Amino acid sequence: MGLKLSKLKQHKVLQNMFYVNVLTTGGLLAAGDVITQQVEMAMDEDRTQKFNPKRTERMFLIGLCLGPFGHLWYTKFVEKLVPGAPSTTTALKKILADQIIAGPFFCSAFFFGMGLLEGRGMSGAVAEVKDKFLTVYLIDWCLWPPAQFINFRFLPVEYRVIYVACITLCWNVFLSYFKHMVSIFRTQSLKCVDTFLVMTV
């Protein structure tokens, strides 16, 4: 009886943790975009750029879509793929697995999903991945291996998704900027063209 109650309690904790991790992933992606938009508006000398709630909503939605995989990856998959007690060797193996499997998936799924949410269709979403994946993935290697060493070497399994999500807040600011910088530059270029036309008329 006691064993059944213990398993039931453990299942309930894992279920609650799933929802928390998914919502946290979505919330932090949205938060990263809010921070990015605030910076963009502060740097807009003409004060013409307005906050775009739809853009933040898309970031939140893609976070909800990626959250379940993140939960399963950090609480189950990587543990089965690289079993063993916490050690430097185990941590390095998990980092390698994370960079080879989870990194490319999250990066490509983010740009592909955002492309779909923006209404670009399959071809547009694929083009978005081809255009931005490699640069972001290379920068990913600079940030995540040291962060994940702490994650896999020192943290208990139940805290890993939240830890990653917190580091991700900084990463999400960069992701949001990199994702939307083309449209920002396009807007700035159009302003320059308009200014030039006004000056020449």
Side-chain angles (χ1 to χ4, degrees):
M1 183 65 177
L3 183 60
K4 288 183 178 180
L5 287 174
S6 178
K7 288 184 176 180
L8 183 62
K9 183 178 179 180
Q10 185 179 21
H11 174 74
K12 190 68 176 177
V13 169
L14 289 174
Q15 186 180 47
N16 291 337
M17 191 168 62
F18 172 82
Y19 293 125
V20 169
N21 288 337
V22 170
L23 288 173
T24 299
T25 303
L28 286 175
L29 267 168
D33 183 65
V34 169
I35 294 171
T36 303
Q37 290 201 57
Q38 293 298 324
V39 172
E40 291 168 359
M41 288 188 291
M43 295 177 65
D44 181 16
E45 296 179 356
D46 299 330
R47 303 295 186 218
T48 56
Q49 184 169 334
K50 304 297 182 183
F51 183 80
N52 184 351
K54 290 293 184 182
R55 171 175 144 177
T56 302
E57 181 182 320
R58 289 192 293 268
M59 293 286 283
F60 178 70
L61 289 175
I62 197 65
L64 293 184
C65 293
L66 295 176
F69 179 80
H71 172 84
L72 293 173
W73 173 256
Y74 289 113
T75 61
K76 292 184 179 181
F77 294 161
V78 75
E79 292 301 316
K80 291 182 178 180
L81 189 64
V82 185
S87 67
T88 299
T89 301
T90 303
L92 291 175
K93 288 180 179 179
K94 288 179 179 178
I95 289 169
L96 186 61
D98 193 61
Q99 290 300 116
I100 292 176
I101 300 173
F105 172 81
F106 280 121
C107 186
S108 57
F110 170 78
F111 287 115
F112 183 80
M114 286 295 288
L116 291 179
L117 289 173
E118 290 173 340
R120 298 188 180 187
M122 290 291 291
S123 59
V126 171
E128 179 96 344
V129 175
K130 290 181 179 179
D131 183 46
K132 298 178 178 177
F133 169 80
L134 184 58
T135 301
V136 172
Y137 184 53
L138 290 175
I139 296 173
D140 179 285
W141 273 89
C142 298
L143 171 67
W144 285 109
Q148 292 292 41
F149 179 80
I150 296 172
N151 188 23
F152 292 129
R153 179 66 181 87
F154 301 109
L155 293 184
V157 172
E158 59 267 25
Y159 297 120
R160 287 180 182 170
V161 174
I162 298 298
Y163 166 80
V164 169
C166 290
I167 300 296
T168 299
L169 179 59
C170 299
W171 176 250
N172 288 345
V173 172
F174 162 73
L175 263 187
S176 177
Y177 169 75
F178 194 82
K179 165 67 184 74
H180 301 103
M181 70 176 183
V182 174
S183 61
I184 294 168
F185 289 157
R186 185 183 298 116
T187 301
Q188 292 175 342
S189 298
L190 289 174
K191 289 179 183 177
C192 291
V193 171
D194 288 342
T195 302
F196 175 77
L197 290 175
V198 170
M199 292 175 63
T200 55
V201 171

